[in-house]
Amino acid sequence: MECGLSPIVGFRFSLYPMADDFVSVIKGALEQTDTSNVWMHTDDVSTVIRGKQVHVFNVAKAIALHAANTGKHIALSGTFSAGCPGDSAGDAYLEKSEKIANTDDTKHYVSSQFALYPLNNPSYMDIIYREVDRAKEQGVFNESMHYASGIHGDIHDVFAFYEEAFSNARSEEHKHLVMTVSMSINSPSHGGL
Amino acid sequence: MECGLSPIVGFRFSLYPMADDFVSVIKGALEQTDTSNVWMHTDDVSTVIRGKQVHVFNVAKAIALHAANTGKHIALSGTFSAGCPGDSAGDAYLEKSEKIANTDDTKHYVSSQFALYPLNNPSYMDIIYREVDRAKEQGVFNESMHYASGIHGDIHDVFAFYEEAFSNARSEEHKHLVMTVSMSINSPSHGGL
């Protein structure tokens, strides 16, 4: 487990198309996404993207959008991380401008669940409750559940909530933050809004 | 986010069959698994099982095994949790005996990745490094990577490692532990052992 004190943000995720042609859905989503603003590596289980927070969230959303645009039931599950002691490869990407590279504004209903884990922080539960309250205020809260919270709505609202939650839960004193997110799109199980 | 001080262990996970008939693979895997030893609830994004640690890991492995036995490429991704402040529903399952209900010993190659997050524990990085070292000693370590560690091998060895890591990383003083696991079976991308 390699970590660091760089301000770099990372997202290790897997895209799961529930379809026989899963390979083409995954490859298509990656190819249609402009990933020039992030360091990226794919192995046999997951893909990791790293760089400025704005680009990591932009690329993650673009990949989900392109996969969702196929109309297939897809899921995206992964972990956002920052401030892990030891992180350095990819720091060159912190020089990129803030201008996002992907601007597809197609709407998709997303049902998702997330958990925040501020590491080595005695007041971590307060941080979690604060962000759950914010989800309720913003209208993206779905339901309470064991070990996670349900967040749903349009994909753009959902990703905006997650990016803000990730910003809010980091602090100068407690830099190491982890946020797990699991989202489902085009599922026959979705009740909708 | 509901949590607690009970010794109950939980696993919130999603099973992802990369196949057009994903619904039947998921339903089949759940139906073929004896889940009588755990509290279980499924929503539109994930399933949560809760109870004694031995049963939570046994049921998780059985569900993965049954899905893998279809020969389809499947993934199982989720979060094991214990000691979350506030947890109580499901405590009745702590009265179950230690006898496991699922004993399918079919072999399957699993490539997986995991991360340990001991909460509110200043020595959390030491705990992580210790378990990664143990993976190397046990021969299930695959590779180092950002934000996670690669664990692979036969499904029974992989699950045994995860259950032991989860036991080792909990302590009386620091009860709240989270472990994310993402595993892939029957993938065309696997290089194998």
Side-chain angles (χ1 to χ4, degrees):
Chain A
M1 194 174 282
E2 300 170 11
C3 300
L5 283 179
S6 152
I8 201 164
V9 169
F11 182 44
R12 178 171 290 283
F13 67 95
S14 297
L15 174 65
Y16 303 111
M18 259 57 78
D20 290 347
D21 62 343
F22 61 93
V23 174
S24 66
V25 175
I26 295 170
K27 285 190 174 170
L30 291 172
E31 282 166 11
Q32 290 163 53
T33 302
D34 183 334
T35 61
S36 59
N37 286 330
V38 296
W39 182 93
M40 183 163 77
H41 179 72
T42 297
D43 61 35
D44 66 333
V45 174
S46 66
T47 292
V48 60
I49 53 177
R50 299 168 68 249
K52 281 187 173 179
Q53 176 173 307
V54 62
H55 297 308
V56 167
F57 279 86
N58 179 254
V59 168
K61 184 172 75 172
I63 290 170
L65 268 171
H66 292 309
N69 286 345
T70 63
K72 313 269 175 148
H73 171 28
I74 64 116
L76 183 78
S77 177
T79 302
F80 290 91
S81 299
C84 182
D87 226 347
S88 62
D91 279 5
Y93 286 88
L94 296 176
E95 307 301 318
K96 297 276 183 183
S97 83
E98 300 285 322
K99 190 170 185 300
I100 57 173
N102 300 280
T103 55
D104 181 353
D105 60 0
T106 312
K107 291 181 179 299
H108 283 284
Y109 173 76
V110 172
S111 185
S112 72
Q113 298 170 355
F114 88 116
L116 274 171
Y117 303 115
L119 275 300
N120 195 18
N121 186 339
S123 56
Y124 70 106
M125 292 301 297
D126 295 336
I127 294 170
I128 293 166
Y129 292 133
R130 189 184 64 198
E131 294 309 312
V132 170
D133 284 343
R134 201 173 54 78
K136 292 174 182 171
E137 288 161 16
Q138 295 194 358
V140 293
F141 184 78
N142 187 6
E143 57 177 337
S144 296
M145 59 189 66
H146 288 292
Y147 316 125
S149 294
I151 301 293
H152 71 162
D154 179 62
I155 188 168
H156 302 282
D157 298 331
V158 167
F159 266 92
F161 168 76
Y162 283 137
E163 185 169 353
E164 202 176 331
F166 197 72
S167 289
N168 291 347
R170 296 168 71 184
S171 71
E172 269 305 301
E173 195 188 355
H174 302 290
K175 291 185 200 303
H176 192 179
L177 175 68
V178 166
M179 179 172 76
T180 61
V181 173
S182 180
M183 51 180 67
S184 170
I185 304 177
N186 299 331
S187 166
S189 305
H190 291 160
L193 284 166
Chain B
M1 192 175 282
E2 300 171 12
C3 300
L5 283 177
S6 153
I8 200 163
V9 169
F11 181 43
R12 178 172 290 283
F13 67 95
S14 297
L15 174 65
Y16 303 112
M18 259 56 80
D20 290 347
D21 62 343
F22 62 94
V23 174
S24 66
V25 176
I26 294 170
K27 285 190 175 170
L30 291 173
E31 282 166 9
Q32 290 164 52
T33 301
D34 184 334
T35 62
S36 59
N37 287 329
V38 296
W39 182 94
M40 183 164 78
H41 179 73
T42 298
D43 60 35
D44 67 332
V45 174
S46 66
T47 292
V48 61
I49 53 177
R50 299 168 68 249
K52 281 187 173 180
Q53 176 173 306
V54 61
H55 297 308
V56 167
F57 279 85
N58 178 254
V59 167
K61 184 171 77 172
I63 290 169
L65 268 170
H66 292 310
N69 286 346
T70 63
K72 312 268 174 154
H73 171 28
I74 62 114
L76 182 78
S77 178
T79 301
F80 291 91
S81 299
C84 182
D87 225 349
S88 63
D91 279 5
Y93 285 88
L94 296 175
E95 306 300 319
K96 296 276 182 182
S97 83
E98 299 286 320
K99 190 169 184 300
I100 57 172
N102 300 280
T103 55
D104 181 353
D105 60 359
T106 311
K107 290 180 180 300
H108 284 283
Y109 172 76
V110 172
S111 185
S112 72
Q113 297 171 355
F114 87 116
L116 274 171
Y117 303 115
L119 276 299
N120 195 18
N121 186 340
S123 56
Y124 69 107
M125 292 301 297
D126 296 335
I127 293 170
I128 293 167
Y129 292 133
R130 188 183 65 199
E131 294 309 312
V132 170
D133 285 345
R134 200 171 56 77
K136 291 174 183 171
E137 287 162 17
Q138 295 194 357
V140 293
F141 184 78
N142 186 8
E143 58 177 336
S144 295
M145 59 189 65
H146 289 291
Y147 316 123
S149 295
I151 301 294
H152 71 162
D154 179 63
I155 187 169
H156 302 283
D157 298 331
V158 167
F159 266 93
F161 168 77
Y162 284 137
E163 185 169 352
E164 202 175 331
F166 197 74
S167 288
N168 291 346
R170 295 168 71 183
S171 71
E172 270 304 301
E173 195 187 353
H174 303 290
K175 291 186 201 301
H176 193 179
L177 174 69
V178 165
M179 180 172 77
T180 60
V181 173
S182 181
M183 51 180 67
S184 171
I185 304 177
N186 300 330
S187 167
S189 305
H190 291 159
L193 284 166

